[in-house]
Amino acid sequence: MIRVSVAAGIMFVATQTAVALAEAPPIPESLSTPNVVETNIGKFEFKDGVPSKATAERLYDNLDFTFAYRAFMDNMRGVSIHALRKGMNDIGMKENEVLVFSELMDAKSLFLTANADTIYVMGYLDLSKGPVVLEAPPKFLGLVQDAWFRWVTDLGLPGPDRGQGGKYLIVPPDYDAPLPEGGYYVARARTNTILWFGRSFLESHSDPKPVVESIKRFTKVYPYAAGGVGTSIAEFLAGKAKLGKLEPPPPTVFYEGTGKVMNTIPPNDWNYFEMLNEVVQREPATSLDPELMGPLAAIGIVKGKPFAPDERMKKIMTEALAVANATSRSLFLSPRDPSWSYYPNSAWTNFLVLTGYEFETPIPEITSEGAKPYPATGYRTMDARTNFFYGITGISPAMAMRLTGIGSQYLLATLDADKNHFDGAKTYKVTLPKGIPEANFWSLTLYDNMTRSMLDTPQRYPRAGSQSYPSPAAEADTDGSTTVWFAPEQPHGIPRGNWIQTDSKKGWFVILRLYSPLEPFFTKEWRPSEIELVR
């Protein structure tokens, strides 16, 4: 009986198992990969979910293409900083030296959307040897960026010195030695390479010389000497710090920038990847988010390792670079997001209002009770980030704020009133209504579509505005409005200050700047006309 029962039990279990196997549900269609997959990049073949050899090879090519594409879209900002430093190196500058455009920047220098209204001052620091002191002059408007174009601190008017001038101590990553108790505005960086720059306004909007003298008198850059100013005797007696000698810093070397032929614009050929590798090799391995460093590692750009892609990889990367550059250029010159328009259905754009300086959260509202930040969105606006770094240099909270009377605000137009791109051979005009909302001055500047740098014409300074240097001030009409013309030749009867010369062989775009903007700009009660085609 026992044997029969056991056998019967085994037979029962086996029968139940067979029934269960026979009744197993089919694999859901949502989990299945068809034998043939048609896509916009080709046809892929699978057998029971396994790719054919040719399919796997094409898909891996596409994966590597994607990594190389992201290496441009996500990290061009690092190459932009590297190109700025390289441009300064090419004219002989070294770390801790200072470049001053004492007669303003003109179109001979290639800088992304720089202006021809203010005196630029800039330089770069190497923190690998320790902290560096940067003494900012009074009435300055500047910022400090790290090697990946991230904001470190503001200088001058928007910074902690509030335009009075002061000493900034820029501290390298992982620095754990004692810092001064006071006397400095301390800012910690995440990279060893630092680029800083800023602008000073002309006195009476006409004479740069007094401002240049002030810049050269007060601007100083030198290595920080521990134990000097900022370290008290009490700290020494407590064993917390050593005492150093109180010695004057070494004199700062100044370079003249006006009229210099120099290129600071990031490349979009194979040199891009070479420069990107140089950034990775110079900086700490942890200086960039691992998610952003991952695509770089996938294409062979790894800290401490040689960058030597094979012919297959180089071909894929070259194609990805061409597509990424073309995409970035399209985003900049043919923006597709209607929310970027500053006014309804307008070609004038300013997306920083919506994205803030980190391209994530809108800039705070300013009320009678103070600043009211918006809650974080939790995502980054990728198109805005690409657009910005493809055409603009410098990012800071000061560029994205609604505070009146501080800093400057920008409106950019790459299209005319009919949403067509600008033709350098044609004549256009724009009207700025009475009461232009600025407490300092305003300007319009033209840029070359190809270089995103100032348009190079016989005018030299492709700008018009309210200050009378380096070109005559624009004249208002009898109703208080001001009309500015864009044409290859000065239109008949139009004052010189109301005309910006174009190049009949080149396209262009324009930026309207309001220095020390006023409330009507932020409320949008004041609105410039669209740029109209005249003939």
Side-chain angles (χ1 to χ4, degrees):
M1 289 294 292
I2 295 174
R3 291 178 180 175
V4 172
S5 298
V6 170
I10 292 171
M11 290 176 62
F12 176 76
V13 171
T15 301
Q16 290 291 92
T17 302
V19 170
L21 290 173
E23 294 177 356
I27 297 173
E29 186 176 345
S30 63
L31 305 184
S32 301
T33 298
N35 290 338
V36 177
V37 178
E38 299 279 359
T39 76
N40 65 345
I41 60 171
K43 180 173 74 174
F44 302 117
E45 297 177 343
F46 294 84
K47 184 177 181 180
D48 192 27
V50 178
S52 68
K53 182 179 179 181
T55 289
E57 288 177 350
R58 288 203 305 276
L59 286 169
Y60 282 131
D61 284 351
N62 182 67
L63 182 60
D64 291 336
F65 179 97
T66 302
F67 288 138
Y69 179 86
R70 284 195 58 194
F72 188 95
M73 302 296 282
D74 292 342
N75 297 311
M76 73 170 80
R77 53 208 175 116
V79 176
S80 187
I81 285 286
H82 191 67
L84 277 161
R85 186 179 65 82
K86 186 178 183 302
M88 286 186 264
N89 287 156
D90 289 345
I91 64 168
M93 279 185 65
K94 302 179 182 64
E95 63 191 72
N96 300 349
E97 297 180 341
V98 179
L99 181 64
V100 181
F101 290 80
S102 60
E103 294 182 14
L104 309 189
M105 191 182 293
D106 63 14
K108 297 302 179 187
S109 298
L110 295 179
F111 281 79
L112 291 175
T113 53
N115 69 66
D117 307 310
T118 61
I119 299 168
Y120 276 102
V121 187
M122 64 187 69
Y124 70 92
L125 316 176
D126 181 359
L127 304 183
S128 64
K129 303 166 189 174
V132 175
V133 178
L134 168 57
E135 295 190 20
K139 302 178 183 179
F140 196 56
L141 180 65
L143 63 160
V144 177
Q145 315 273 230
D146 76 4
W148 293 109
F149 228 136
R150 293 173 299 206
W151 175 71
V152 177
T153 189
D154 287 318
L155 308 170
L157 293 164
D161 74 84
R162 301 293 297 277
Q164 302 302 302
K167 296 180 179 181
Y168 288 78
L169 183 62
I170 314 301
V171 181
D174 302 323
Y175 182 79
D176 58 3
L179 291 172
E181 300 166 68
Y184 299 87
Y185 304 110
V186 179
R188 287 188 172 272
R190 288 178 279 177
T191 63
N192 289 320
T193 301
I194 293 294
L195 191 122
W196 66 274
F197 50 91
R199 297 157 289 164
S200 288
F201 300 132
L202 305 184
E203 292 188 2
S204 303
H205 305 310
S206 60
D207 187 2
K209 291 181 182 178
V211 182
V212 173
E213 290 173 1
S214 176
I215 289 169
K216 292 186 175 181
R217 177 184 174 190
F218 290 104
T219 305
K220 295 173 183 163
V221 187
Y222 51 91
Y224 169 67
V229 173
T231 300
S232 68
I233 300 298
E235 285 284 290
F236 167 70
L237 294 175
K240 297 180 180 179
K242 295 181 179 180
L243 289 182
K245 294 181 179 179
L246 298 179
E247 296 180 336
T252 298
V253 176
F254 291 91
Y255 280 76
E256 177 54 56
T258 301
K260 277 281 193 308
V261 177
M262 56 189 298
N263 179 17
T264 69
I265 297 177
N268 51 260
D269 60 7
W270 185 257
N271 287 314
Y272 174 87
F273 288 120
E274 297 288 355
M275 291 176 71
L276 183 58
N277 180 59
E278 289 172 11
V279 177
V280 171
Q281 301 307 327
R282 285 177 60 91
E283 302 306 329
T286 57
S287 68
L288 192 63
D289 186 288
E291 288 288 332
L292 293 175
M293 198 67 87
L296 276 58
I299 61 174
I301 298 178
V302 179
K303 173 80 172 180
K305 294 184 179 181
F307 173 51
D310 58 24
E311 287 305 310
R312 167 193 166 273
M313 196 66 181
K314 194 166 184 178
K315 180 176 183 295
I316 291 171
M317 291 170 66
T318 300
E319 291 175 352
L321 182 70
V323 174
N325 175 68
T327 304
S328 302
R329 181 172 286 280
S330 296
L331 282 169
F332 186 76
L333 292 171
S334 300
R336 65 176 179 174
D337 190 337
S339 70
W340 291 3
S341 295
Y342 194 68
Y343 309 98
N345 197 35
S346 175
W348 292 109
T349 63
N350 182 336
F351 51 73
L352 291 182
V353 172
L354 300 175
T355 70
Y357 80 101
E358 291 189 311
F359 311 101
E360 185 214 343
T361 303
I363 63 178
E365 292 284 351
I366 305 299
T367 71
S368 57
E369 290 80 31
K372 288 192 174 181
Y374 284 90
T377 62
Y379 64 85
R380 202 173 308 285
T381 308
M382 308 305 287
D383 285 357
R385 186 180 71 180
T386 298
N387 177 309
F388 186 90
F389 287 110
Y390 194 75
I392 299 172
T393 297
I395 189 65
S396 153
M399 297 181 70
M401 61 181 181
R402 292 185 172 94
L403 277 177
T404 59
I406 297 177
S408 52
Q409 283 293 326
Y410 312 84
L411 292 177
L412 184 149
T414 60
L415 304 170
D416 67 15
D418 299 316
K419 301 300 190 293
N420 295 317
H421 291 93
F422 298 111
D423 183 339
K426 296 179 179 178
T427 298
Y428 300 82
K429 68 176 182 177
V430 64
T431 298
L432 308 181
K434 181 180 179 181
I436 300 173
E438 45 80 14
N440 199 336
F441 66 99
W442 64 268
S443 74
L444 288 157
T445 308
L446 291 197
Y447 298 94
D448 185 320
N449 282 346
M450 189 64 74
T451 65
R452 293 92 73 201
S453 186
M454 281 190 275
L455 186 67
D456 193 3
T457 69
Q459 247 181 10
R460 186 181 179 191
Y461 299 98
R463 49 86 62 191
S466 58
Q467 71 178 20
S468 57
Y469 185 93
S471 55
E475 299 178 20
D477 298 327
T478 54
D479 63 356
S481 66
T482 303
T483 300
V484 175
W485 297 68
F486 314 96
E489 303 294 334
Q490 185 172 348
H492 179 71
I494 300 302
R496 167 64 185 83
N498 295 64
W499 165 60
I500 306 178
Q501 188 172 29
T502 60
D503 183 332
S504 60
K505 298 179 181 179
K506 287 184 173 291
W508 52 271
F509 63 93
V510 63
I511 293 180
L512 169 64
R513 289 178 170 86
L514 303 173
Y515 294 91
S516 301
L518 299 176
E519 191 69 14
F521 172 77
F522 298 109
T523 61
K524 303 181 183 179
E525 297 172 51
W526 181 89
R527 175 177 176 171
S529 76
E530 300 299 298
I531 302 176
E532 302 172 5
L533 174 64
V534 177
R535 57 180 177 275

